[in-house]
Amino acid sequence: MTTHQAHQSRTDGVDRELVDAATEIARTRCRGDNHTVASAARDRDGRIVTGVNAYHFTGGPCAELVVIGAAAGQGAYELETIVAVGDRERGVIPPCGRCRQALLDYFPHINVIVGPPDALRAVPVAELLPETYVWADHAE
């Protein structure tokens, strides 16, 4: 069993430790209107990287984008699973369209945890983008 598999629930395939990490960051680090969503991602080696959004009226980065940068800063370049959790006990929230596209471009095989609390599931990011546009396919 890989490190990643050891951290996943055996019954539903959802990385509960990852959801718990994002939930804890949302509960303890999201404050006010500037930081309202936390995200956590697991690298292939089992490491968890977390981050929070940086809301700004000019379009500050979502929590998932912050995690991508934080992961790179820590040398974690092979993210396998990601989840976002809203503050104020809002639970798991799906990534916005911009984040879906960025996740697909950076990590085409990443799984994204989505769904209501009683039916969380991990789905490939490509399933969240019907008729996907793969930037690398069109770059010259």
Side-chain angles (χ1 to χ4, degrees):
M1 180 182 309
T2 67
T3 303
H4 175 70
Q5 290 169 328
H7 294 290
Q8 289 198 352
S9 164
R10 294 172 191 248
T11 59
D12 60 12
V14 171
D15 188 335
R16 298 287 174 176
E17 185 180 20
L18 202 59
V19 175
D20 291 346
T23 300
E24 179 66 10
I25 295 297
R27 188 178 63 72
T28 61
R29 302 289 187 245
C30 289
R31 297 188 176 152
D33 293 336
N34 294 329
H35 308 292
T36 58
V37 176
S39 183
R42 187 179 299 279
D43 186 66
R44 181 191 297 184
D45 67 6
R47 177 176 16 173
I48 293 177
V49 179
T50 62
V52 299
N53 70 318
Y55 176 79
H56 191 263
F57 73 91
T58 61
C62 296
E64 296 93 335
L65 298 181
V66 171
V67 165
I68 290 171
Q74 295 174 31
Y77 295 106
E78 299 181 43
L79 301 183
E80 292 186 332
T81 307
I82 193 165
V83 65
V85 173
D87 66 348
R88 298 181 312 269
E89 307 297 326
R90 291 184 291 147
V92 171
I93 58 175
C96 72
R98 178 177 67 165
C99 288
R100 292 173 193 213
Q101 186 67 54
L103 288 168
L104 178 70
D105 291 338
Y106 275 86
F107 310 103
H109 303 291
I110 196 167
N111 287 312
V112 181
I113 299 172
V114 296
D118 60 344
L120 291 177
R121 61 195 188 285
V123 298
V125 68
E127 286 185 19
L128 297 178
L129 280 171
E131 303 295 329
T132 59
Y133 173 86
V134 179
W135 182 71
D137 290 347
H138 302 281
E140 295 182 320

